[in-house]
Amino acid sequence: MMTASSLELAILGLLKEGPMHGYELRKRLSTTLGPLYVVSFGSLYPCLKRLKKAGMLREIEAEATRRRRRRVDSDAKPGKSRRARKVYEITPEGETFFFDQLEQGAVYDTDRFKLRLAFFRYLPRESRIGLMERRKAYLQEKLVEFKDSLQATKERIDAYTRSLTEHGMEAIEQDIRWLEGLIDQERAAGAGRG
Amino acid sequence: MMTASSLELAILGLLKEGPMHGYELRKRLSTTLGPLYVVSFGSLYPCLKRLKKAGMLREIEAEATRRRRRRVDSDAKPGKSRRARKVYEITPEGETFFFDQLEQGAVYDTDRFKLRLAFFRYLPRESRIGLMERRKAYLQEKLVEFKDSLQATKERIDAYTRSLTEHGMEAIEQDIRWLEGLIDQERAAGAGRG
DNA sequence: TTCGTCATGTAATGGGTTACATGATTAC
DNA sequence: GTAATCATGTAACCCATTACATGACGAA
């Protein structure tokens, strides 16, 4: 496993806060990680299996149910009155891998960058600043590409496509300003301590 | 074929301007459709095959090469001095399908909506306005979701996640303003003619 | 002669989605 | 009694990516 998928990264990050079972994990994805991240179970459970197989997390003994059961104990299989939950815990290898994935790698992927930022508290300040600077530089390059593209296609471009490109540029500029604000905050907080 | 993938839609839209071969199509995707849309050949060629099979486009006789060849004509296969290009043309069924896909369907998918907007010139003004209004309404709903999410997680939320959500809201607000501007333009242009 | 571009394709792989299967518990 | 929610999983399907295969042409 060289590079983690976004989902893998998200799961590992959430499990760092404490053990959880799949169903809960899914809810947390959309609450903790912004009201955007929705995953289907058909995606989540196989992913947990993969991570377990790779040694990134392990299953811990789960209490079969938190609520007491009412059913009579004449049941053949005692622990199965409620569908058993599987509670997962991140392993040391999982933690190492998670940190690597947070710190290393490209800043091209927007969703991926957002995900990393959501776990920034686990990184030292210098890494955070470095990552944000790299992202900012990337966005500035992209801005130039957009500008060149507008220039190149000049007059023969359709009005809607032009508007799309211009709006795309504004969005990137807003992103850059946002990053600059965050970087300034980090530096100020760092200086305040030094 | 109920719903077209983004790539399928993009190919059909570009072929409406005139017949083209695969390689050229790929270049046009990133130039005409903004400097964002990059597809691999391993994705493009199978997609062309699919569309052809579905009757959305057909292969037309291609001149094997535009540049004259220098090689002696003693060659066994005369038309193969240069790798033959396959030129594709959209069929009437393809056009019908394309219009349906532009007009119908959800406005949730951001990339998809942008793609449709890039082909807005093929839609009547009323359809364009309708689509943009629906997109705007959707974004406003989403804004409320974000606001609720921020409210709900209140103080116990991590600073980075909060910043992420706030920035996400600003981006949506900017999107809404952009749409409002475009809608105003459409209405003004429509009224000027009436 | 070698590199970049033109040009089309296949194969392996990965991973996400929907739909299906199962079944208990809680609230109305 | 029935709908919603809790809870985990599998199977079929779709499609995108990378890597590989093939090969000509033009320019340095």
Side-chain angles (χ1 to χ4, degrees):
Chain A
M1 190 178 289
M2 290 252 59
T3 305
S5 71
S6 288
L7 182 53
E8 284 162 357
L9 205 54
I11 289 173
L12 291 174
L14 286 184
L15 285 183
K16 269 186 70 65
E17 291 169 19
M20 244 177 283
H21 59 272
Y23 196 89
E24 196 183 348
L25 218 29
R26 189 198 180 224
K27 273 190 300 180
R28 285 294 214 90
L29 282 172
S30 37
T31 54
T32 310
L33 263 41
L36 8 83
Y37 208 111
V38 180
V39 205
S40 64
F41 289 118
S43 187
L44 178 69
Y45 290 116
C47 185
L48 283 168
K49 208 193 242 177
R50 276 201 310 277
L51 285 169
K52 188 186 159 192
K53 199 174 160 190
M56 301 305 169
L57 41 87
R58 79 168 75 91
E59 242 171 90
I60 58 177
E61 280 330 300
E63 359 80 276
T65 178
R66 201 171 281 149
R67 310 170 192 84
R68 68 211 98 283
R69 27 190 154 119
R70 278 208 217 99
R71 303 256 285 161
V72 281
D73 283 2
S74 63
D75 205 322
K77 295 159 193 165
K80 288 190 75 179
S81 76
R82 199 199 216 300
R83 180 131 193 183
R85 293 184 294 185
K86 285 190 182 176
V87 177
Y88 293 96
E89 183 182 58
I90 191 166
T91 61
E93 302 83 60
E95 298 235 3
T96 308
F97 180 66
F98 176 72
F99 281 123
D100 269 18
Q101 293 290 315
L102 266 198
E103 211 155 15
Q104 248 79 46
V107 290
Y108 311 132
D109 187 334
T110 302
D111 287 341
R112 190 65 172 264
F113 182 78
K114 284 185 191 171
L115 195 54
R116 284 155 129 183
L117 203 134
F119 294 123
F120 254 24
R121 64 180 175 286
Y122 296 124
L123 285 180
R125 173 158 293 128
E126 282 316 308
S127 299
R128 297 197 290 243
I129 294 178
L131 234 27
M132 289 194 285
E133 292 282 16
R134 277 167 58 208
R135 174 77 184 168
K136 184 184 153 189
Y138 164 70
L139 289 178
Q140 280 168 334
E141 272 175 45
K142 217 170 161 188
L143 206 52
V144 172
E145 266 178 59
F146 269 65
K147 209 167 285 183
D148 289 350
S149 161
L150 263 187
Q151 209 70 29
T153 51
K154 206 74 183 174
E155 296 303 322
R156 51 167 246 272
I157 205 175
D158 168 85
Y160 295 103
T161 311
R162 172 189 302 278
S163 179
L164 214 43
T165 306
E166 284 168 352
H167 178 244
M169 287 174 69
E170 279 166 30
I172 295 176
E173 281 162 6
Q174 192 172 317
D175 264 35
I176 291 174
R177 285 195 300 274
W178 171 61
L179 282 174
E180 283 171 345
L182 286 179
I183 292 169
D184 283 352
Q185 275 177 40
E186 292 280 4
R187 291 214 207 277
R193 286 252 221 83
Chain B
M1 190 178 287
M2 290 252 59
T3 305
S5 71
S6 287
L7 182 53
E8 284 160 356
L9 205 54
I11 288 174
L12 291 174
L14 286 183
L15 286 182
K16 270 185 70 65
E17 290 170 20
M20 243 178 281
H21 61 272
Y23 196 89
E24 197 183 348
L25 218 30
R26 189 198 180 225
K27 274 190 299 179
R28 285 295 213 86
L29 282 172
S30 39
T31 54
T32 310
L33 264 39
L36 7 82
Y37 208 112
V38 181
V39 204
S40 66
F41 288 118
S43 187
L44 179 68
Y45 289 117
C47 185
L48 283 169
K49 208 193 243 177
R50 274 198 314 274
L51 285 170
K52 187 186 159 192
K53 199 174 160 190
M56 301 303 168
L57 41 86
R58 77 169 76 92
E59 244 171 89
I60 58 177
E61 280 330 300
E63 0 81 274
T65 177
R66 201 171 282 151
R67 311 171 192 82
R68 68 209 99 284
R69 23 188 157 120
R70 277 211 217 98
R71 304 258 285 163
V72 280
D73 284 2
S74 63
D75 204 321
K77 294 158 194 166
K80 289 193 74 179
S81 76
R82 198 198 216 302
R83 179 125 195 188
R85 293 183 296 184
K86 285 189 182 176
V87 177
Y88 294 96
E89 183 181 58
I90 192 167
T91 60
E93 302 83 60
E95 298 235 4
T96 308
F97 180 66
F98 176 72
F99 281 123
D100 269 19
Q101 293 291 314
L102 266 199
E103 213 156 14
Q104 248 78 47
V107 291
Y108 311 131
D109 186 334
T110 302
D111 287 341
R112 190 64 172 266
F113 182 78
K114 283 186 190 169
L115 194 55
R116 283 156 130 183
L117 202 136
F119 294 123
F120 255 25
R121 64 181 175 287
Y122 296 125
L123 285 180
R125 174 157 295 132
E126 282 316 308
S127 299
R128 297 197 290 245
I129 294 177
L131 234 28
M132 290 194 285
E133 292 283 16
R134 276 167 58 208
R135 174 77 184 168
K136 184 184 153 191
Y138 164 69
L139 289 178
Q140 280 167 335
E141 272 174 45
K142 217 171 161 185
L143 205 52
V144 172
E145 266 178 59
F146 270 64
K147 207 167 287 183
D148 289 349
S149 161
L150 263 188
Q151 209 69 29
T153 52
K154 205 76 183 174
E155 295 304 322
R156 50 168 246 272
I157 205 175
D158 167 86
Y160 295 104
T161 310
R162 172 188 301 277
S163 179
L164 213 42
T165 306
E166 283 167 353
H167 179 244
M169 287 174 70
E170 279 166 32
I172 294 175
E173 281 162 6
Q174 192 172 318
D175 264 34
I176 291 174
R177 284 195 301 273
W178 172 62
L179 282 175
E180 284 170 345
L182 286 179
I183 292 169
D184 283 352
Q185 275 178 39
E186 292 280 3
R187 291 212 207 277
R193 288 251 222 81

